[in-house]
Amino acid sequence: MTMQKKKFPYIRPMTGEDEEKIKRIPFLNIDTVLIPSPFVRDQDLDLDPDYCYVWDEEGELLGFLQVYSNKNHTRFHLYKVVSSPFQRGKGVGSAFIEKLVNEVDETAEIYLYVWDKLISSIEFFASAGFEYAGSSVYRKMNFHLMSSNAGSIRQKIASWREREYSVPEELSKVRHDAKKSLKVLLDMTSIMSVDNFHKLLDDISRESTAMLNTLQAFEDRIVERHQVDIKELITHRVIPFIEASEIPCQMRLIIGSKIPLVSGNYLNFSRALINLVSNSLDAISETGRKGIIEIALREDEDAVILTVRDNGIGIDRERLEKGPDGLPAFVGNTTKKGKSGEGIGTRQIFSTFGVKNIEVESVPGKATRWIIRVPKSTGQEVHLLSDLESRFQHLMKTTEKIGISRRSQKTQVAIFIWQLRQLEIFSYDLINQFSRYNNVRDVYRNILLYREGRKDFDFLKQELKKCRIDNGIFRDWLLDAVRRIRENESYILDNVKVQDYKGVLFKSYGQAIERHIIFTMDPENGRFYATDRKLAEHMDYVPYLGKDRDELLRGEFIGDVKNLESPITLGVWSVTSREDLQEKLRLIRQGARQLLEMDLKAEKKVSFYHTTYNTSAYEIDTFKTTTLGKMADMSDEDLDKLIVKAEDEFSALAFVD
């Protein structure tokens, strides 16, 4: 029982008080599309209080399960499985079923009836192990009988835990569910009659609200901050919650006529407001007097000001004192007078709205007032997310299928490489979203470890989870993109003669038009690694090329490599003598030849880096430029013309890579 409580912390047995409360909650008291009687199949059933549950989340009922069973507990009819439309997608219904099948004998039969127009519900129960077992007709509505045994359902639900869904898969599922909801709405309107009009109207309202909340739940999953209508949240969530409460309470609303949208997370705001009024109701209950809750919304210059006032027991002054973190002492402890607890609700309120945006005033024994400042939505962050999401979906779609093989023409392979490189360049934008709180070079190094097979995907996922970021969807997109890049890169290495495409592989980085692309190259065979300069240093690639750094070249270019006037810069890490410098210039010459083999134009300009570590009296003349063609054809004597005596102030100076 203890394990079950830990696994399902919000599920508890239904009481008679719960049944009365459910009747006062509109969105939990709609059953038009339920089969009219629980005794359609079995006459010897009875309501089983041991297996009727409610989902009680800090005083708010978000769903319930009503079960009928026979005396021997060998057959169980799931008569009502209801979840609040504000919690669609949270797994309330599946949690009820999982708890039930874990508590009954594995051979017990579990069955229910589902209206045949509720395709998404039928698919859900089918995925949970239920099978079609017959049908029944009531008022021209056909109901599917779905049945299974508890053991089979346990196994099916356990398999759900093992699968992870990517963002594109989740979006596909949400899109599918939304379409099914629209079909259900159409089906409901088609069966309207004078007799059922009012009940169907309630069902249509519930189903449309559920569909919108399904979409908003997905939006919260991929976009941590977006536009929220806080006035709508108060009227749709807070007011029904107060009305369903058994605590006598009068509501006073003072809401401006044109309250702008605010920036935030829909579900977090919703939960925070419920926590807030729940605390107010508890405080009122302790006084024994008739309660008053006043909710006011007004517009400020760049924010909406939300005020919630109650005439409850109040908070003692010492508990209002703020600590070093800016939080009042009561946060993290229950606000209920004379009781102890974790104060999860108050923590969630401050976490959602931010410490600096909340002021709490209280007169012990009389009243408490919360003043919350919520920033208006500017639309800029929505535009950024919309732009990145559009690019992400497009690039994941274009790289979804590997449309090449060992027999493919070179043009097809080249197109595949260029599309994959577009996804990699897009990933730079995602990595840069981590820059506010993290070193993006550390992020990129972990990605490189995964791409090169030095670490697995779980390692990368855990490392990115450790990184703080304002919007978690960027982390999810980055993981999906990097996994796709590695899969397709591995296919290229296994099925394509890379040497034949090293030019395409290099020039494809030219799609990063406005970026500085750095690269580290083996001048002997042309193997290289490259990325945005913000993300890495040349030395990061040396371990992957399998040679000492002094056998390799470092370089960079800006924009399209076809632009002849924009030079490629080449250089080395160290020089110890004039003879060593001559040898390093031969490496650069060999590098130029490799770049020509990559089909770069001979007229492409070449410039030179300062040497990173120079302990000789000579240096490459960084004021000189040449072209790839001339560099590749230089004799050893001509290479000497690129050598100058190092100035005293630069002698033995190490330039940072």
Side-chain angles (χ1 to χ4, degrees):
M1 185 63 71
T2 303
M3 287 295 292
Q4 285 279 65
K5 187 171 181 61
K6 287 183 179 178
K7 192 171 185 180
F8 308 106
Y10 300 121
I11 298 179
R12 61 170 176 78
M14 182 188 294
T15 66
E17 292 179 352
D18 293 327
E19 291 184 50
E20 292 302 316
K21 191 174 182 179
I22 287 168
K23 292 177 183 178
R24 299 195 299 272
I25 302 175
F27 288 121
L28 293 182
N29 192 34
I30 299 174
D31 57 5
T32 302
V33 293
L34 287 173
I35 200 160
S37 170
F39 311 109
V40 169
R41 184 183 177 201
D42 293 315
Q43 297 295 320
D44 61 341
L45 301 183
D46 201 357
L47 186 67
D48 195 331
D50 292 335
Y51 300 105
C52 292
Y53 310 126
V54 293
W55 185 288
D56 184 348
E57 196 163 332
E58 299 178 28
E60 184 183 17
L61 299 187
L62 299 179
F64 70 93
L65 172 67
Q66 194 175 70
V67 175
Y68 286 74
S69 69
N70 62 359
K71 291 181 179 179
N72 297 327
H73 288 143
T74 59
R75 298 193 305 279
F76 294 85
H77 180 184
L78 309 185
Y79 183 51
K80 294 183 181 180
V81 186
V82 181
S83 61
S84 167
F86 297 105
Q87 298 299 319
R88 180 70 64 87
K90 190 173 183 177
V92 174
S94 58
F96 281 142
I97 296 171
E98 184 177 5
K99 180 173 173 62
L100 173 66
V101 298
N102 282 322
E103 291 187 345
V104 303
D105 188 270
E106 64 177 9
T107 61
E109 181 189 12
I110 315 290
Y111 70 91
L112 74 157
Y113 285 89
V114 186
W115 186 31
D116 67 351
K117 301 298 184 182
L118 296 176
I119 305 298
S120 58
S121 295
I122 292 171
E123 290 177 346
F124 165 76
F125 288 113
S127 69
F130 289 84
E131 296 179 353
Y132 177 79
S135 64
S136 183
V137 177
Y138 171 72
R139 288 189 177 179
K140 299 182 180 180
M141 290 191 294
N142 186 45
F143 288 86
H144 286 337
L145 169 63
M146 304 191 73
S147 176
S148 186
N149 61 68
S152 298
I153 299 171
R154 285 182 205 170
Q155 293 178 356
K156 279 288 186 178
I157 293 179
S159 68
W160 292 352
R161 313 281 183 207
E162 299 173 1
R163 182 176 178 189
E164 294 184 2
Y165 292 91
S166 66
V167 171
E169 286 176 316
E170 289 184 8
L171 177 60
S172 177
K173 182 178 182 299
V174 168
R175 188 186 295 117
H176 174 79
D177 288 345
K179 288 180 179 178
K180 296 303 182 186
S181 290
L182 289 172
K183 185 180 185 304
V184 169
L185 290 170
L186 289 172
D187 289 333
M188 285 181 177
T189 58
S190 68
I191 63 170
M192 271 187 180
S193 68
V194 175
D195 295 332
N196 66 16
F197 177 80
H198 292 292
K199 295 197 75 177
L200 272 175
L201 188 62
D202 288 339
D203 270 7
I204 289 170
S205 174
R206 180 177 189 263
E207 188 61 35
S208 59
T209 301
M211 182 183 70
L212 290 173
N213 280 278
T214 298
L215 299 175
Q216 286 168 326
F218 178 72
E219 186 178 23
D220 281 346
R221 165 77 175 86
I222 66 168
V223 182
E224 290 192 355
R225 299 192 69 81
H226 51 87
Q227 294 179 323
V228 177
D229 188 340
I230 198 165
K231 182 166 70 172
E232 180 184 86
L233 274 180
I234 290 171
T235 55
H236 286 185
R237 296 251 15 223
V238 177
I239 293 175
F241 177 76
I242 296 174
E243 288 179 339
S245 171
E246 297 177 355
I247 299 168
C249 186
Q250 176 185 348
M251 281 183 291
R252 296 176 182 173
L253 297 178
I254 307 170
I255 299 179
S257 59
K258 293 183 179 180
I259 300 298
L261 300 178
V262 296
S263 176
N265 181 287
Y266 178 85
L267 292 180
N268 286 348
F269 276 16
S270 175
R271 188 73 250 157
L273 292 176
I274 292 298
N275 282 328
L276 193 51
V277 296
S278 177
N279 286 340
S280 292
L281 289 168
D282 288 337
I284 289 168
S285 177
E286 292 187 43
T287 68
R289 57 179 174 249
K290 185 174 182 179
I292 299 174
I293 294 180
E294 181 180 283
I295 301 174
L297 272 180
R298 64 179 176 86
E299 183 180 2
D300 199 10
E301 291 183 359
D302 59 348
V304 170
I305 307 300
L306 167 67
T307 305
V308 179
R309 182 182 182 279
D310 67 69
N311 66 336
I313 195 66
I315 304 172
D316 294 336
R317 286 188 175 86
E318 60 270 18
R319 301 183 72 200
L320 291 172
E321 294 292 329
K322 295 181 179 180
D325 56 2
L327 291 170
F330 70 78
V331 177
N333 297 287
T334 182
T335 55
K336 300 174 180 63
K337 202 171 183 66
K339 298 181 181 179
S340 60
E342 298 179 353
I344 295 173
T346 53
R347 283 205 300 262
Q348 196 269 341
I349 295 167
F350 275 87
S351 172
T352 296
F353 295 114
V355 177
K356 295 180 180 179
N357 295 323
I358 299 176
E359 287 295 329
V360 183
E361 303 170 349
S362 188
V363 179
K366 292 186 177 181
T368 299
R369 180 169 65 175
W370 291 68
I371 304 168
I372 302 174
R373 183 179 180 278
V374 189
K376 292 180 184 177
S377 176
T378 63
Q380 293 178 352
E381 53 199 1
V382 176
H383 175 74
L384 170 65
L385 288 163
S386 176
D387 175 63
L388 290 177
E389 181 182 11
S390 176
R391 291 169 60 197
F392 171 74
Q393 297 294 346
H394 169 71
L395 292 170
M396 291 295 285
K397 186 68 176 177
T398 57
T399 57
E400 184 177 12
K401 295 182 179 179
I402 298 178
I404 61 170
S405 67
R406 295 181 181 181
R407 299 179 180 177
S408 295
Q409 296 179 354
K410 285 192 173 183
T411 303
Q412 293 175 303
V413 177
I415 291 172
F416 180 74
I417 291 171
W418 276 72
Q419 289 175 336
L420 183 60
R421 190 72 73 220
Q422 287 176 352
L423 182 59
E424 180 182 342
I425 292 168
F426 170 72
S427 76
Y428 303 161
D429 286 332
L430 297 178
I431 295 171
N432 282 325
Q433 302 303 317
F434 288 79
S435 62
R436 184 173 180 181
Y437 305 109
N438 312 276
N439 184 338
V440 291
R441 292 189 172 182
D442 290 337
V443 174
Y444 181 75
R445 287 185 186 113
N446 287 327
I447 289 173
L448 195 58
L449 285 169
Y450 166 68
R451 283 178 57 182
E452 291 302 307
R454 308 287 178 92
K455 296 290 184 179
D456 61 18
F457 187 72
D458 285 339
F459 162 82
L460 179 60
K461 186 191 299 185
Q462 292 304 316
E463 289 301 311
L464 290 186
K465 279 186 177 180
K466 296 175 185 176
C467 297
R468 180 184 173 191
I469 190 169
D470 287 330
N471 195 329
I473 188 57
F474 297 134
R475 181 188 294 109
D476 295 337
W477 286 347
L478 182 58
L479 285 168
D480 285 341
V482 170
R483 180 156 53 183
R484 175 67 52 77
I485 291 167
R486 177 179 169 178
E487 290 171 353
N488 290 11
E489 281 180 334
S490 298
Y491 183 87
I492 291 173
L493 292 173
D494 293 340
N495 295 277
V496 173
K497 191 175 180 181
V498 176
Q499 279 297 104
D500 292 344
Y501 294 94
K502 62 183 180 180
V504 176
L505 290 166
F506 187 85
K507 290 190 291 185
S508 60
Y509 280 100
Q511 297 175 92
I513 299 296
E514 298 179 355
R515 297 180 185 274
H516 281 72
I517 297 296
I518 65 163
F519 62 91
T520 302
M521 175 190 288
D522 183 343
E524 183 178 351
N525 55 30
R527 282 191 64 212
F528 72 93
Y529 288 87
T531 192
D532 187 332
R533 168 165 280 287
K534 296 177 183 177
L535 305 182
E537 299 175 355
H538 294 96
M539 276 297 296
D540 292 333
Y541 292 127
V542 171
Y544 299 101
L545 287 168
K547 290 188 176 181
D548 185 87
R549 73 178 185 191
D550 289 323
E551 300 176 87
L552 304 171
L553 295 179
R554 58 195 184 97
E556 73 174 73
F557 61 87
I558 302 174
D560 191 349
V561 290
K562 295 178 183 178
N563 182 355
L564 301 180
E565 296 304 315
S566 178
I568 283 187
T569 304
L570 298 173
V572 294
W573 276 273
S574 68
V575 170
T576 58
S577 64
R578 183 183 177 92
E579 292 73 19
D580 184 45
L581 179 54
Q582 289 172 322
E583 182 60 35
K584 298 298 170 56
L585 283 169
R586 294 188 189 100
L587 282 179
I588 294 175
R589 180 176 63 189
Q590 183 59 32
R593 292 170 179 171
Q594 286 290 347
L595 292 172
L596 289 176
E597 288 184 19
M598 295 177 182
D599 294 326
L600 269 67
K601 298 294 185 181
E603 297 82 9
K604 178 75 172 176
K605 297 284 187 182
V606 176
S607 61
F608 305 99
Y609 283 126
H610 280 288
T611 302
T612 308
Y613 304 101
N614 189 357
T615 57
S616 79
Y618 298 92
E619 171 64 290
I620 299 175
D621 189 350
T622 57
F623 292 104
K624 285 188 177 179
T625 60
T626 183
T627 64
L628 281 177
K630 291 178 180 178
M631 186 72 212
D633 291 339
M634 278 188 187
S635 63
D636 288 352
E637 292 76 13
D638 289 334
L639 290 176
D640 284 344
K641 296 176 183 178
L642 297 176
I643 298 175
V644 295
K645 198 163 186 177
E647 298 290 340
D648 289 342
E649 63 266 32
F650 294 113
S651 182
L653 179 66
F655 288 88
V656 177
D657 176 11

